[in-house]
Amino acid sequence: MQETALTRHPNALPNDQTAPSNRSIVLVGLMGVGKTTIGRRLAHQLGLDFVDADEEIEKAAGCSIADIFERFGEYGFRDGERRVMHRLMAGARQVIATGGGAFVDAATRALILAEGLAVWLDADIDILVDRTAKRNTRPLLQTGDPREVLMRLAEARKPFYQQAHIHISSNRSPHDVTVQSILGALKDRMTIQPPVTNGNSNAPVEIPVNIAGKPYTVEIGAGLLATAGIRLRPYLKSRTVIVTDNSVAGLYLVNLDRQLKEQGVDVSHIILPAGEAAKNFTELSAILSHLVDRGIDRADAIIALGGGVVGDITGFAASILRRGCRFIQIPTTLLAQVDSSVGGKTAINLPQGKNLVGSFHQPCFVLADTAVLDTLPRRQLLAGYAEIVKYGLINDAAFFDWLEANGQAVLASNSTERTYAIEMSVRAKAAIVAKDETESSGVRELLNLGHTFGHALEAATGFSDALLHGEAVAIGIVLAFDYSCELGLCPAADAVRVRHHFKSVGLRTSLIPWLATSGEALVQYMMQDKKIRSGALPFLLAHGIGQTYLEHTVDLAHVTHFLDKALAS
Ligand SMILES: NC(=O)c1ccc[n+]([C@@H]2O[C@H](COP(=O)([O-])OP(=O)(O)OC[C@H]3O[C@@H](n4cnc5c(N)ncnc54)[C@H](O)[C@@H]3O)[C@@H](O)[C@H]2O)c1
């Protein structure tokens, strides 16, 4: 009779019942038990990637495991394994097969138990002897009689394997049966979802951001902040710092702080003044000092709770603290949810211009609760909406069509249209930044549609509340389309549609009448743009809706003339 026993270990961790569904599944157990084959099939069933930790170690070392043992001994191998496991566990959710000794190493075991779902695959020694005899390249089996070695290892490692969250005993079962057993056990655990408190029982949308070597997940949904403690726990060690601003703090800080404390995390906060002015060296220095005083190190993750300002400065602080610690984004404005929290651009401003000091540093997790947008002032909501429209105009004409029909619904409180628009925007941004993380191949630049004109307008208004970033982007996009028409690149009808849509939702589409500036002054501001290479400023122009491209040969004298005309009208 086939035997496939499934047992929950009685000594499961205290957080056992709340292990969230976004953890990687880590197969542990003795060599020969089938971790790789079963892991591959399990990953296929779950629609996840599969990774074999031993293969990753070999790739990193540039030689076989047998060679690593020979040259560096078991100690050297475990050290490499620890580093590889850290990298794998910091990545997107996947199925990971580990080497037989990985879970015996205290540091690796602690990491897997804290951040993953450990599944102990177990089988009788006879079966293991049969299986390992077929591929006897394992260094530890070269040291004596394989049966004796396996028995000794089984005995010595059992107390460690027993600590896994799930125990599956496969024996002679076909691998597919074992996979079904694991799926059943996982389902058991994953149906224990945290409560959703706003009455909307929809599961969050999970969007992977597949940036090479540093993938992460964006979770989007209404009411997610109510369960943020559980959702964030896998990314946190024993302590964290929440950076927020004084508007957001009054609304959401106490709740988040309480939840994290309930999860056993030691939390402190830094509260910045609300608004763009906080993105400066003085606030950065205060954040860094606090992080150092609190003993935050590279393994810790700090939390940005707020809009783009909080996200940008917190991300930058995380990128330079001890040459880089991890951070989590909890974006609370529409602009931050659809744009700034994803993609890893971090920055502060200088008196000479915006975002002039910064870095590319990806968050390890983004939690976007769409319900918090209900407390956002309408003007801020509209500013964020401009960035949503941008994604349709860049390369998704069908999404722009949809926005024309559903724009007002997207702006309405807690609508499914809003969640959909945020999801589409994050997917669009994730796809672009995955291709060009550091804006170096001309792909990510597409996200700057409307930003060259927009930044000049922001500069002309002193980066003040007179013109919010998203408002400037909306006017900038209209100018980019009008200018594309002027150059004969874009049908006039498309430019009219763009202008009309922004107007229809209540966004300004023309240069501000009281703005005492000139085409020349605006072009001078543009020359501060970070996209400038050897004095040439590339422009985002359009052949039509959904057909944005990067143009390197724009004549700035012509742009000056165009802007003078726009200002005069
Ligand atoms: N890193 C990037 O890729 C990127 C992309 C776009 C913009 N940005 C940056 O983002 C910044 C603009 O971000 P923003 O528009 O979110 O501005 P913001 O962070 O200043 O937030 C706007 C205002 O809304 C308040 N607020 C935030 N959440 C709230 C909520 N849920 N309820 C009530 N009030 C709330 C804030 O306190 C603030 O007063 C700019 O500095 C811009 O340069 C960065």
Side-chain angles (χ1 to χ4, degrees):
M1 200 179 92
Q2 282 176 355
E3 185 194 327
T4 302
L6 163 64
T7 51
R8 274 172 179 280
H9 193 268
N11 297 333
L13 293 178
N15 66 353
D16 184 54
Q17 294 300 307
T18 53
S21 60
N22 58 5
R23 291 178 170 216
S24 282
I25 296 151
V26 186
L27 302 183
V28 305
L30 278 178
M31 61 182 93
V33 77
K35 286 168 292 190
T36 302
T37 316
I38 289 168
R40 257 184 232 291
R41 292 183 194 189
L42 180 66
H44 180 72
Q45 291 281 327
L46 290 167
L48 297 176
D49 284 340
F50 168 78
V51 59
D52 183 317
D54 278 354
E55 278 177 14
E56 293 298 308
I57 296 165
E58 290 185 328
K59 267 192 240 160
C63 60
S64 71
I65 288 184
D67 287 342
I68 304 173
F69 265 75
E70 198 177 311
R71 284 158 59 185
F72 307 106
E74 184 171 353
Y75 177 82
F77 172 77
R78 295 287 165 226
D79 190 44
E81 183 178 60
R82 244 172 263 140
R83 278 182 275 128
V84 165
M85 285 306 295
H86 262 284
R87 173 166 61 76
L88 296 179
M89 298 303 295
R93 182 172 184 239
Q94 55 193 335
V95 176
I96 303 170
T98 59
F103 206 60
V104 179
D105 181 86
T108 302
R109 188 173 63 256
L111 174 76
I112 295 170
L113 289 174
E115 302 196 359
L117 263 176
V119 178
W120 173 24
L121 280 183
D122 189 19
D124 289 344
I125 293 293
D126 286 344
I127 294 165
L128 298 180
V129 171
D130 285 356
R131 289 193 189 146
T132 50
K134 290 178 194 145
R135 193 168 68 89
N136 193 358
T137 53
R138 279 124 166 147
L140 294 180
L141 292 188
Q142 311 297 319
T143 56
D145 172 44
R147 173 179 295 277
E148 264 178 38
V149 174
L150 281 166
M151 282 177 64
R152 193 164 33 80
L153 287 174
E155 189 62 27
R157 292 179 176 179
K158 193 171 173 184
F160 304 111
Y161 292 150
Q162 281 179 325
Q163 296 174 38
H165 299 105
I166 293 170
H167 178 195
I168 302 283
S169 184
S170 70
N171 285 334
R172 295 210 183 268
S173 308
H175 286 328
D176 284 337
V177 174
T178 308
V179 168
Q180 289 309 316
S181 299
I182 300 174
L183 287 171
L186 292 172
K187 199 166 156 218
D188 262 11
R189 307 176 66 81
M190 287 167 190
T191 49
I192 306 167
Q193 285 293 341
V196 176
T197 55
N198 71 343
N200 178 349
S201 62
N202 291 339
V205 176
E206 291 184 10
I207 299 175
V209 185
N210 291 317
I211 292 186
K214 33 200 158 164
Y216 52 95
T217 302
V218 181
E219 272 189 16
I220 302 168
L224 297 186
L225 207 53
T227 53
I230 293 169
R231 295 178 188 283
L232 265 55
R233 188 66 187 93
Y235 303 92
L236 300 171
K237 304 281 175 204
S238 57
R239 75 200 133 192
T240 190
V241 171
I242 303 170
V243 184
T244 188
D245 72 28
N246 53 18
S247 297
V248 178
L251 294 163
Y252 303 111
L253 180 61
V254 173
N255 184 10
L256 179 62
D257 178 88
R258 179 186 47 75
Q259 289 186 57
L260 291 171
K261 284 181 176 145
E262 280 168 10
Q263 292 294 318
V265 181
D266 182 9
V267 193
S268 66
H269 339 112
I270 301 167
I271 300 177
L272 306 174
E276 188 68 33
K279 270 172 66 170
N280 64 39
F281 267 114
T282 310
E283 298 297 345
L284 176 70
S285 166
I287 293 172
L288 291 169
S289 296
H290 182 95
L291 296 176
V292 171
D293 290 347
R294 292 275 300 150
I296 296 293
D297 64 32
R298 284 182 182 181
D300 291 314
I302 60 175
I303 300 169
L305 172 70
V309 165
V310 168
D312 276 12
I313 192 170
T314 307
F316 186 45
S319 77
I320 56 177
L321 180 82
R322 304 185 203 279
R323 298 204 174 87
C325 73
R326 300 182 306 137
F327 82 114
I328 294 166
Q329 290 266 22
I330 306 185
T332 61
T333 63
L334 183 57
L335 181 139
Q337 294 192 353
V338 299
D339 191 358
S340 62
S341 64
V342 179
K345 273 192 183 178
T346 78
I348 58 168
N349 303 328
L350 288 183
Q352 291 91 330
K354 265 189 71 158
N355 299 330
L356 289 179
V357 180
S359 61
F360 290 97
H361 187 61
Q362 302 297 332
C364 57
F365 180 53
V366 182
L367 184 77
D369 179 352
T370 55
V372 303
L373 302 178
D374 288 347
T375 56
L376 194 64
R378 173 88 180 170
R379 190 177 165 205
Q380 296 286 353
L381 198 67
L382 278 171
Y385 183 77
E387 302 278 5
I388 293 180
V389 174
K390 181 185 75 177
Y391 295 111
L393 296 176
I394 289 174
N395 60 7
D396 191 347
F399 184 45
F400 181 77
D401 294 349
W402 183 87
L403 288 170
E404 282 184 312
N406 296 284
Q408 293 296 353
V410 171
L411 291 161
S413 169
N414 209 9
S415 61
T416 49
E417 286 86 353
R418 178 186 287 181
T419 307
Y420 174 73
I422 295 171
E423 178 192 337
M424 288 293 285
S425 302
V426 171
R427 284 193 196 284
K429 180 147 190 189
I432 288 178
V433 297
K435 286 187 194 142
D436 180 14
E437 182 193 359
T438 56
E439 214 165 70
S440 48
S441 68
V443 177
R444 188 166 179 162
E445 276 93 339
L446 294 176
L447 294 169
N448 293 323
L449 174 63
H451 284 59
T452 305
F453 288 112
H455 270 174
L457 294 171
E458 283 185 90
T461 49
F463 298 106
S464 67
D465 278 357
L467 192 64
L468 300 178
H469 175 75
E471 292 172 331
V473 167
I475 301 172
I477 289 176
V478 170
L479 287 171
F481 269 79
D482 284 351
Y483 190 57
S484 300
C485 290
E486 170 123 345
L487 293 175
L489 298 166
C490 171
D494 281 12
V496 170
R497 271 177 75 192
V498 172
R499 181 186 292 274
H500 177 76
H501 182 57
F502 280 133
K503 240 185 196 163
S504 74
V505 294
L507 274 158
R508 174 181 289 284
T509 55
S510 54
L511 292 174
I512 309 162
W514 48 258
L515 189 62
T517 189
S518 64
E520 192 183 347
L522 291 175
V523 168
Q524 280 310 312
Y525 286 125
M526 289 178 192
M527 295 310 288
Q528 283 299 328
D529 199 300
K530 292 179 290 303
K531 293 187 293 299
I532 286 190
R533 301 281 181 277
S534 315
L537 177 60
F539 269 73
L540 270 304
L541 298 179
H543 290 298
I545 286 167
Q547 298 172 62
T548 295
Y549 77 103
L550 194 60
E551 175 61 63
H552 292 273
T553 59
V554 169
D555 172 2
L556 288 182
H558 192 243
V559 175
T560 306
H561 179 64
F562 164 78
L563 285 170
D564 278 334
K565 271 200 309 183
L567 281 162
S569 62

